[in-house]
Amino acid sequence: MRKALAALAALLLAATATPASAAPREKWDTRVFSLVPSPGFPAYVHVHTNGRVYAGTYTNPGSSKPSKVFEWTRDGTLLRSWRVPGQHLDEDHGVQVANQTRRGRLVLLETSTRSVLTLDVRTGRFRRVATFPDGAVPNYASWGPGGALYVTDYGQGVIWRLPPGSHTPQRWFESPALEGATEFGTTGIRYRPGRRDFLITQGTVSDGTDSPTNGALYRLPVGAGGKPGAIETLWTSQPGDLPDGFGIGRSGHVYVALAGLANQLVELTATGEEVGRFPDVPLAGDNGSPIPFDTPCSATFLGRRVLVANQSAVQGDASHQAILDVYVGEPGRAPYLPRRARL
């Protein structure tokens, strides 16, 4: 009996002990979640309600490789991938896993055909839902009021709205504030249902309100009947930052990936006050992990960490094209996913 109790006590001690690998992480601790295979150039990282992680890829200018959608487990194990059909491979092409439907289909934005696609991850079936007019560059997407899908346009100063059941995007909001300089236009978008507004990141500002090398975080309220209100600047970036995709923490803080020269993440309060940057020193992207920040494009919450798509857009360094895991010390707010979120 004594031997049995001793053995049981040893088991309990072993079960409650904290292994070295599970030691508490400090804020901004950065690790490699996974490398991104060819064709590389990952963009937004989407954490699905099924518990898995997805990202799409872009390609080098002139490359004829089709884009892919990759799927990982929550611990970064690559499970499978799908080739995106119907792309114009003789043009610049890429796919953003921008969101998902309520039933779990991925919502994809494809640039060469200016299309909204869905991908059923159970069957591998792609479906084209809508096509944007010439000149549009669909970039990020958020569900919003009325179960409509709202899409930013990297090439024009427009927020598009795709109503439920429609195959025709509507020009919902237009503003000089969304006209980017030197082709660096509107990037991330997230609806905050409690505040009835969208947060929107802008790569560069060219409406004369600031230097055209600076980017911004905007607030766009939604009024009665789903009509857009007046756009408001919450935060202005430093020159060359190129604010891109972002995540929202439980505290309301916004974590923005800076895809420009800084190679940093910036933390902002809900009202746009800048409270921190990581790494402290810009440019080199030295984050303490084996892979430095090299065009970090998004910050998507997974637990108390954000997953950052490292695109290496300028250098094209395949060894830097990865998903990085950055601990921020607070849980995130899941993207808005209404019951009518279907395509």
Side-chain angles (χ1 to χ4, degrees):
M1 176 65 80
R2 289 182 179 176
K3 288 184 178 179
L5 288 174
L8 179 59
L11 281 173
L12 288 172
L13 283 171
T16 56
T18 302
S21 60
R25 295 174 65 177
E26 295 184 359
K27 187 169 183 176
W28 303 124
D29 175 59
T30 301
R31 303 175 183 181
V32 178
F33 178 79
S34 177
L35 295 176
V36 176
S38 176
F41 299 91
Y44 177 68
V45 182
H46 177 68
V47 175
H48 199 285
T49 53
N50 66 11
R52 294 181 179 176
V53 174
Y54 298 86
T57 70
Y58 287 76
T59 57
N60 271 318
S63 171
S64 60
K65 293 180 180 179
S67 299
K68 290 184 179 180
V69 174
F70 290 101
E71 178 188 67
W72 291 269
T73 64
R74 293 173 69 90
D75 66 1
T77 301
L78 180 62
L79 296 176
R80 52 185 173 163
S81 65
W82 299 265
R83 289 187 178 185
V84 179
Q87 293 184 292
H88 298 162
L89 299 180
D90 57 344
E91 302 175 11
D92 287 349
H93 52 283
V95 70
Q96 184 98 296
V97 180
N99 216 304
Q100 69 173 89
T101 67
R102 187 78 176 192
R103 294 183 177 179
R105 293 185 176 92
L106 296 180
V107 177
L108 312 178
L109 301 176
E110 202 286 315
T111 58
S112 70
T113 59
R114 309 180 312 282
S115 299
V116 179
L117 308 174
T118 59
L119 168 60
D120 189 328
V121 297
R122 296 170 299 177
T123 64
R125 179 174 177 260
F126 288 83
R127 184 169 71 94
R128 180 168 281 106
V129 175
T131 302
F132 297 92
D134 287 346
V137 184
N139 199 3
Y140 284 79
S142 173
W143 296 103
L149 187 71
Y150 295 78
V151 180
T152 61
D153 191 330
Y154 198 61
Q156 304 176 114
V158 179
I159 303 294
W160 298 91
R161 180 180 184 270
L162 187 63
S166 173
H167 300 284
T168 305
Q170 303 170 346
R171 299 173 79 95
W172 178 70
F173 178 77
E174 299 180 59
S175 170
L178 302 180
E179 294 283 355
T182 61
E183 300 183 357
F184 296 111
T186 311
T187 51
I189 183 170
R190 281 280 300 272
Y191 182 61
R192 298 189 295 182
R195 297 173 182 258
R196 287 194 58 81
D197 65 9
F198 286 97
L199 291 184
I200 300 165
T201 40
Q202 182 72 17
T204 55
V205 177
S206 64
D207 63 351
T209 59
D210 216 304
S211 167
T213 60
N214 294 348
L217 174 69
Y218 294 131
R219 174 181 179 266
L220 180 62
V222 181
K227 294 183 179 180
I231 197 166
E232 171 190 358
T233 301
L234 296 183
W235 167 79
T236 301
S237 81
Q238 296 179 10
D241 275 349
L242 298 183
D244 210 310
F246 60 90
I248 302 175
R250 187 75 56 81
S251 66
H253 284 202
V254 183
Y255 298 81
V256 186
L258 303 179
L261 299 175
N263 282 320
Q264 292 173 309
L265 300 182
V266 63
E267 179 183 356
L268 311 171
T269 67
T271 56
E273 178 187 355
E274 186 170 322
V275 295
R277 284 184 175 233
F278 175 74
D280 294 333
V281 180
L283 302 178
D286 185 7
N287 54 33
S289 86
I291 299 178
F293 288 143
D294 183 357
T295 322
C297 289
S298 59
T300 304
F301 270 91
L302 179 62
R304 294 177 176 272
R305 49 211 171 108
V306 293
L307 299 181
V308 177
N310 216 39
Q311 194 171 94
S312 190
V314 176
Q315 296 184 43
D317 187 336
S319 69
H320 288 180
Q321 290 169 353
I323 309 293
L324 301 179
D325 169 337
V326 184
Y327 185 77
V328 296
E330 68 164 312
R333 293 184 179 178
Y336 182 57
L337 188 64
R339 291 183 180 180
R340 298 181 67 190
R342 54 182 182 266
L343 293 171

